[in-house]
Amino acid sequence: MSAGPGPPGQTLTEAEAEAEAEAEAEAEFEQIEVDAPVVGIVMGSNSDLPAMQKAEAELGERGIRCEVRVMSAHREPDKVAEYARNARMRGLRVIIAGAGLSAALPGAVAAHCDLPVIGVPLTSRTSVAGGLDALLSIAQMPPGVPVACVGIDNARNAAVLAARILDS
């Protein structure tokens, strides 16, 4: 154990000291003005890009910086987890995740970060009932893994919601 700040005679474990140092560094980082994106837009495949570009366009019209990434919750789970874990450190404050079929991406992102995640259910040529499968996959998240859900193929509304979250 190492001595740390706090009441006299009280010590911090190495893990506590490291967590405290990380929190201080993060607080300092948040005060730095940078042109980094504040919204992440992720999708499961390149075929989702036309639908998800509506979110990017809406954010751009509002002057909100964003980044766009393609990563599959099923084919690249480690990449998704790493992206989500590092999102806050990179300056993101909201993540919009679009996915079709089983629509696991929004939940996978939410499971690995504490940022607000907005799920966009997407239709595809093999979707059931016009995207109902994706909608239910996103809306039915287990307790402790919250994901907001907008209408099917409505990435623009996800961007509007992200902007409102950023304003609060």
Side-chain angles (χ1 to χ4, degrees):
M1 286 202 217
S2 61
Q10 187 176 17
T11 59
L12 295 177
T13 66
E14 284 184 37
E16 291 171 329
E18 186 176 310
E20 187 174 292
E22 187 176 307
E24 289 174 11
E26 189 172 310
E28 288 178 21
F29 180 75
E30 287 178 5
Q31 294 174 2
I32 298 172
E33 288 288 326
V34 294
D35 288 338
V38 293
V39 176
I41 300 174
V42 295
M43 65 208 77
S45 71
N46 284 321
S47 64
D48 300 331
L49 191 56
M52 296 303 289
Q53 282 178 326
K54 294 173 184 165
E56 182 181 19
E58 180 69 28
L59 292 169
E61 288 174 19
R62 293 170 177 265
I64 298 171
R65 296 173 311 279
C66 65
E67 65 182 22
V68 178
R69 303 280 188 274
V70 176
M71 59 188 75
S72 169
H74 297 105
R75 292 182 287 280
E76 304 168 302
D78 293 337
K79 182 178 180 180
V80 170
E82 181 180 340
Y83 177 84
R85 282 189 202 112
N86 295 320
R88 181 181 294 278
M89 181 184 70
R90 290 188 352 270
L92 295 183
R93 294 180 45 211
V94 179
I95 298 175
I96 298 171
L101 302 174
S102 69
L105 185 60
V109 170
H112 292 286
C113 74
D114 62 353
L115 296 175
V117 176
I118 304 167
V120 181
L122 300 172
T123 57
S124 71
R125 58 182 171 71
T126 58
S127 63
V128 176
L132 183 60
D133 49 353
L135 177 89
L136 293 174
S137 293
I138 294 170
Q140 295 294 342
M141 295 306 304
V145 187
V147 175
C149 184
V150 296
I152 296 170
D153 291 332
N154 204 337
R156 181 173 180 256
N157 262 5
V160 172
L161 180 56
R164 290 181 180 181
I165 290 169
L166 292 170
D167 282 343
S168 60

